[in-house]
Amino acid sequence: MPGKSPWKMVAITAVIALLAAGCSGSSSDDTEVLPNSISIGIGEPPSLIPSNAVQVNASQVLASLFYPLVRFDPTNKPYMVAAQSITHDKSNKVWTVRLKPGFTFSNGEPVTADNYIDAWNYGAYGPNGQAASYFYSRIDGFAELQSEDPDGDGPEKAPQPQADKLRGLKKVNNLTFTVTLSEPFAGWMAVMGYDAFYPLPKAAFSSDGVLNKDFGEAPIGNGPFKMKGTWQHDDKIVVEKVADFKGTIPKVNGITWKIYQELGAQYADLIAGNLDIQTTIPIENLASASGDLGDRLGRSDSSSFSFVGFPMYLDKYKNVNVRRAISMAINREEMTDQIFLGSEKPATSFVSPAVEGARSNSCGQWCEYNPTRAKQLYTAANGPRDIKITYNVDGGHKAWIDAMCNQIKASLAINCTGSGLPKLRDVIAKASAGEDIGLIRLGWSMDYPLMENYLGPLYTSDGSSNYYGYKNSTFDSLVRQGSVANNTKQAEQLWNEAENQLVRDMPVLPLRFGQNVFGWSERVTDVTMDLYSKVDIYSVDIAS
């Protein structure tokens, strides 16, 4: 229904406002960058400690500083990178990792098995409060590194955990270690490709298990680049090439990760030649981008999944029919056509089609636009008369959040407002504290190519990115059963059953499956982005 939407005018107004903000916010401060170096726009990362950086801006920067054990080919199969080999026993429970010899950290320390063991122990130890702690939970002994606060936010403190080292990590020799899982998991090699499984040098620690307090400001990695100075918050992170790096050598000598508060300013800098690569063209510039950039506008497949979470900790959203009604009040197709100009696709399932085993329309009737049925359900369930949707301003979400609110208002005859907070970490902090911030704007790009990478972190009771408080023991059990299945077919069948439970509970609103839509300046060439929404820092080059 193009042109008849009640929210189209809102989007256009937002375009004007954001363009104005972009023009006034543009700047060029690249005089400090190295010769043969490039600049890439990002938002402010929440952290640069690998075990605490569960967000794509951080992941992109870390990919320049660290070298993973494995990466994934175009068919999503892992291949060796820093690992010489990874093998497992017949039960898929004991995994042996052999490292390639000769690698060092950027400070000259040799990379050894101890560096992986120390880093993973630090990330898994509960009192360290690392955001990616969930990803170590399969390693034997993880539970003993955790403890529970007996009175929640009360005066009592959580007791010391029983252990501070994972029983399942054993050093064999300087370049070999074993990982014993608490249960078999055929997909474990893929999991070890994630950022949380990078090594940390001895220099990262002030004592056994204690990270230097400033390490995250200038992390030392085993990758092709090293920090030049320290992280300039809300401004930039500069990295330069490591001499004599033993792995794949990037073509550029350095990268300035320019930090922006909103995408409109990034786009203005890209057009003005003050920025070399923008990984996300803002929606208000999608219509003009082909004219602005010509053949410097790129598109590629992405695993990104956009959704809105219901704060399950609030009574007013505990009735499943309230959640179903809001989902049915949204016209996903109209939003992707008119706001995103077809650059994203409506999501009617909870797992991206980028991974094997995912289904295209598991959500069924609850994700179909049906305002009449939605209003009936909502009225019968006595849903709240005022709702808000909280989002991070630096992600370019205002236009579609406003549009979605207008759809909800039109369908349910209630009030709906968008509420912006500066950064995603602000949104997460309030949600994690159980504050009433309404519905929560969230997104996800996979860390490794398994259905479980959506189902586990996003929806399980202890999932690392389950900020909305969904808890269902049946769902948790099905995800776990899928993980320990003997083969891929069995695993995917169980994970599909777990997704069926999500359909029954609707803890989130699936909205869109994304596509990388990115642009680059005339200075650079060979710019590509992968399924993980990252620029390939090894192929990008300076244009001749």
Side-chain angles (χ1 to χ4, degrees), residues 311 313-314 316-317 388 430 434-438:
Y313 50 83
L314 297 178
K316 56 189 172 184
Y317 294 108
K388 64 180 176 181
K430 288 180 178 292
E435 293 187 24
D436 184 359
I437 59 171

Side-chain angles (χ1 to χ4, degrees), residues 66-377:
F66 289 88
Y67 210 51
L69 289 171
V70 299
R71 286 202 190 98
F72 304 95
D73 68 16
T75 65
N76 280 336
K77 303 300 182 190
Y79 64 89
M80 301 299 121
V81 180
Q84 182 81 52
S85 66
I86 298 178
T87 56
H88 58 85
D89 67 355
K90 290 182 179 179
S91 70
N92 292 318
K93 196 172 177 182
V94 181
W95 294 73
T96 300
V97 180
R98 292 183 174 82
L99 304 173
K100 289 179 179 175
F103 277 83
T104 63
F105 290 95
S106 60
N107 66 346
E109 282 186 41
V111 179
T112 70
D114 284 330
N115 301 123
Y116 289 87
I117 293 172
D118 292 347
W120 301 5
N121 279 328
Y122 176 82
Y125 187 56
N128 290 333
Q130 297 297 282
S133 176
Y134 164 87
F135 291 91
Y136 311 104
S137 61
R138 287 193 176 87
I139 301 175
D140 190 30
F142 177 82
E144 294 159 28
L145 273 65
Q146 317 304 312
S147 64
E148 189 170 344
D149 190 334
D151 59 350
D153 294 331
E156 294 188 49
K157 294 184 178 179
Q160 196 78 5
Q162 297 176 38
D164 61 2
K165 302 288 189 295
L166 289 162
R167 184 171 54 243
L169 298 180
K170 300 291 183 188
K171 177 180 176 181
V172 177
N173 57 46
N174 276 347
L175 293 178
T176 307
F177 64 101
T178 58
V179 186
T180 300
L181 307 180
S182 54
E183 295 181 304
F185 183 33
W188 181 248
M189 185 190 297
V191 176
M192 288 192 289
Y194 180 45
D195 301 350
F197 296 92
Y198 289 138
L200 292 179
K202 295 292 183 187
F205 297 93
S206 58
S207 60
D208 183 27
V210 179
L211 202 67
N212 282 320
K213 64 181 178 61
D214 294 329
F215 179 76
E217 299 302 304
I220 300 165
N222 64 330
F225 294 95
K226 61 181 180 180
M227 293 283 291
K228 185 174 186 291
T230 59
W231 177 359
Q232 304 300 301
H233 288 274
D234 293 315
D235 183 10
K236 62 188 175 184
I237 299 164
V238 182
V239 300
E240 58 186 339
K241 190 183 281 186
V242 173
D244 300 324
F245 179 65
K246 302 300 182 186
T248 303
I249 307 296
K251 297 174 181 174
V252 297
N253 286 340
I255 302 172
T256 296
W257 301 98
K258 295 185 69 173
I259 299 170
Y260 289 82
Q261 280 67 53
E262 49 99 4
L263 295 179
Q266 260 197 65
Y267 191 74
D269 265 5
L270 177 68
I271 298 303
N274 296 324
L275 177 71
D276 289 323
I277 299 174
Q278 180 166 20
T279 60
T280 303
I281 300 297
I283 55 179
E284 51 273 9
N285 297 107
L286 286 172
S288 64
S290 60
D292 294 339
L293 296 167
D295 60 5
R296 291 182 287 111
L297 176 68
R299 296 176 187 269
S300 64
D301 291 339
S302 163
S303 62
S304 68
F305 169 47
S306 295
F307 63 99
V308 167
F310 288 104
M312 303 291 281
Y313 50 83
L314 297 178
D315 288 342
K316 56 189 172 184
Y317 294 108
K318 286 188 174 175
N319 186 328
V320 67
N321 283 336
V322 169
R323 306 193 293 271
R324 288 169 174 167
I326 294 174
S327 178
M328 296 172 78
I330 298 166
N331 189 335
R332 293 166 174 79
E333 188 169 2
E334 190 174 42
M335 192 181 300
T336 53
D337 286 347
Q338 294 195 18
I339 295 288
F340 292 91
L341 305 183
S343 63
E344 301 202 355
K345 296 179 180 177
T348 53
S349 56
F350 298 80
V351 176
S352 167
V355 294
E356 188 175 343
R359 297 171 295 174
S360 61
N361 186 26
S362 62
C363 185
Q365 63 176 319
W366 309 125
C367 288
E368 292 177 2
Y369 177 54
N370 188 339
T372 302
R373 177 71 175 135
K375 191 170 183 180
Q376 291 170 347
L377 270 182

